[in-house]
């Protein structure tokens, strides 16, 4: 995908709209989707995948996808319906829910845990009052990117938290994909990447991983992360940590956008914003 096609969010007030039609090129030409295209044959499909196809992605999960019409007829709240039935309402021919299905397939334990934590919070606070933890759960679920840090890359967590974009993305660029591995969890981030724009920002969840993790096969890497996320999110403390879920200008991640090969790309302080210190 050419950087000439990059939309600049600073010049438009229009609401984001994903492509209406199915297009395998949207996925195959954008390196942000490399993991998904390696795990699933998305780039080979001529049309939107059927629900039966998507359910093959959840073969290692106790949950199954169902047409969203089932939820509309049922009347229960989305999270409640999933919790009580083990069925995930899914809109057909829809990018957002397509990527949601992909994440259920890649992180089955973590997705199930997030649903359980939502229901535990609803039991305490009710449906109308969203707790801080529920907001964090939703933020990670929609916009999270896991920054997997091998021991040699721990300093990148502090650099990214401090918005030291030049230090991490330019001066220490060679660390990326060698000792630091970004992995998308938030399905809304995948959806917005179908039409990338300056301003596209995710939320970092920093996790330590073993030396060599960045070169692990995808299946092993995702299985490891699913287990580790489940363990660390279980008590809610990880997501409530103010050092987590900090901003990540997604198009600045090396190899995820061809326009960021030049150091000048990172001089756009409207996108790569300096850290604002609260007084």
């Amino acid at each position: 995908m050419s950087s000439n096609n990059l939309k600049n969010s600073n010049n438009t007030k229009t609401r984001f709209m994903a492509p209406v039609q199915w297009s395998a090129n949207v996925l195959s030409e954008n390196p942000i989707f490399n993991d998904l295209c390696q795990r699933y044959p998305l780039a080979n499909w001529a049309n939107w995948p059927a629900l039966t196809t998507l359910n093959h992605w959840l073969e290692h999960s106790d949950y199954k996808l169902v047409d969203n019409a089932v939820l509309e007829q049922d009347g229960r709240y989305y999270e409640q319906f999933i919790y009580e039935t083990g069925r995930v309402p899914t809109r057909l021919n829809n990018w957002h829910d397509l990527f949601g299905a992909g994440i259920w397939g890649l992180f089955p334990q973590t997705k199930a845990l997030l649903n359980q934590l939502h229901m535990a919070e609803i039991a305490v606070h009710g449906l109308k009052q969203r707790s801080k933890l529920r907001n964090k759960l939703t933020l990670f679920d929609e916009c999270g990117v896991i920054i997997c840090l091998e021991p040699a890359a721990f300093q990148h967590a502090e650099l990214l938290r401090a918005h030291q974009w030049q230090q991490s993305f330019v001066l220490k660029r060679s660390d990326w994909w060698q000792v630091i591995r970004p992995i998308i969890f938030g399905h809304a981030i995948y959806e917005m990447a179908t039409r990338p724009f300056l301003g596209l920002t995710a939320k970092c969840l920093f996790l330590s991983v073993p030396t060599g993790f960045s070169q692990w096969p995808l299946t092993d890497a995702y299985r490891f992360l699913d287990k580790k996320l489940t363990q660390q999110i279980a008590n809610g403390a990880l997501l409530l940590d103010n050092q987590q879920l900090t901003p990540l200008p997604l198009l600045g991640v090396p190899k995820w956008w061809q326009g960021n090969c030049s150091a000048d790309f990172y001089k756009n302080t409207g996108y790569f914003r300096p850290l604002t210190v609260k007084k």
Side-chain angles (χ1 to χ4, degrees):
M1 182 179 292
S2 170
S3 59
N4 293 330
N5 295 328
L6 186 66
K7 292 173 60 180
N8 191 330
S9 65
N10 296 327
N11 297 328
T12 179
K13 299 295 184 181
T14 58
R15 180 182 177 185
F16 174 83
M17 294 289 291
V20 175
Q21 303 297 326
W22 171 260
S23 172
N25 290 341
V26 165
L27 307 174
S28 62
E29 295 178 1
N30 186 340
I32 289 174
F33 297 108
N34 281 353
D35 279 9
L36 279 185
C37 289
Q38 288 183 50
R39 181 61 181 82
Y40 307 121
L42 293 165
N44 298 330
W45 292 338
N47 295 295
W48 292 98
L51 201 59
T52 51
T53 300
L54 297 182
N55 266 314
H56 287 308
W57 297 359
L58 275 67
E59 60 184 348
H60 299 299
S61 171
D62 294 330
Y63 294 76
K64 296 298 178 185
L65 308 174
V66 295
D67 193 311
N68 193 66
V70 176
L71 175 65
E72 295 174 350
Q73 296 169 4
D74 181 88
R76 273 176 284 188
Y77 179 67
Y78 177 79
E79 297 290 353
Q80 179 187 11
F81 181 86
I82 295 174
Y83 184 78
E84 294 178 353
T85 69
R87 300 293 182 260
V88 181
T90 303
R91 293 169 293 182
L92 303 178
N93 303 349
N94 180 281
W95 289 106
H96 188 89
D97 286 12
L98 169 73
F99 295 129
I103 298 301
W104 270 99
L106 293 170
F107 297 97
Q109 296 180 60
T110 306
K111 288 289 289 184
L113 175 62
L114 297 186
N115 174 248
Q116 293 161 16
L117 291 174
H118 270 294
M119 290 305 298
E121 289 294 289
I122 289 171
V124 174
H125 302 283
L127 280 173
K128 294 184 179 180
Q129 180 182 349
R130 289 185 64 93
S131 65
K132 181 178 180 180
L133 178 56
R134 282 198 68 204
N135 287 336
K136 294 283 189 175
L137 290 168
T138 300
L139 189 62
F140 177 59
D141 193 25
E142 297 284 346
C143 302
V145 172
I146 309 162
I147 303 297
C148 304
L149 300 167
E150 297 183 26
F154 285 167
Q155 61 184 315
H156 281 270
E158 294 308 315
L159 293 175
L160 293 173
R161 286 172 179 142
H163 294 201
Q164 295 296 313
W165 314 120
Q166 290 278 342
Q167 290 287 326
S168 180
F169 291 145
V170 179
L171 298 181
K172 297 183 179 296
R173 191 178 187 85
S174 61
D175 287 349
W176 287 84
W177 305 98
Q178 296 302 313
V179 291
I180 176 172
R181 173 76 156 88
I183 290 182
I184 293 176
F185 186 92
H187 52 288
I189 290 297
Y190 271 133
E191 179 188 21
M192 288 186 284
T194 60
R195 281 184 171 165
F197 57 92
L198 285 176
L200 178 52
T201 302
K203 296 294 183 179
C204 296
L205 187 79
F206 300 99
L207 282 185
S208 60
V209 294
T211 298
F213 175 87
S214 300
Q215 280 68 53
W216 284 13
L218 277 186
T219 301
D220 294 343
Y222 277 87
R223 185 182 297 117
F224 173 88
L225 288 178
D226 191 29
K227 182 178 180 179
K228 182 157 188 171
L229 282 170
T230 303
Q231 293 170 342
Q232 296 201 8
I233 292 176
N235 64 4
L238 180 68
L239 295 182
L240 290 174
D241 184 349
N242 289 332
Q243 296 298 303
Q244 297 285 8
L245 300 182
T246 56
L248 177 72
L250 199 75
L251 301 188
V253 173
K255 295 187 178 181
W256 271 359
W257 186 253
Q258 66 182 41
N260 71 30
C261 293
S262 169
D264 289 341
F265 182 74
Y266 298 94
K267 294 179 180 179
N268 180 349
T269 56
Y271 186 30
F272 299 98
R273 298 180 179 181
L275 183 64
T276 301
V277 180
K278 295 182 179 180
K279 297 181 179 180

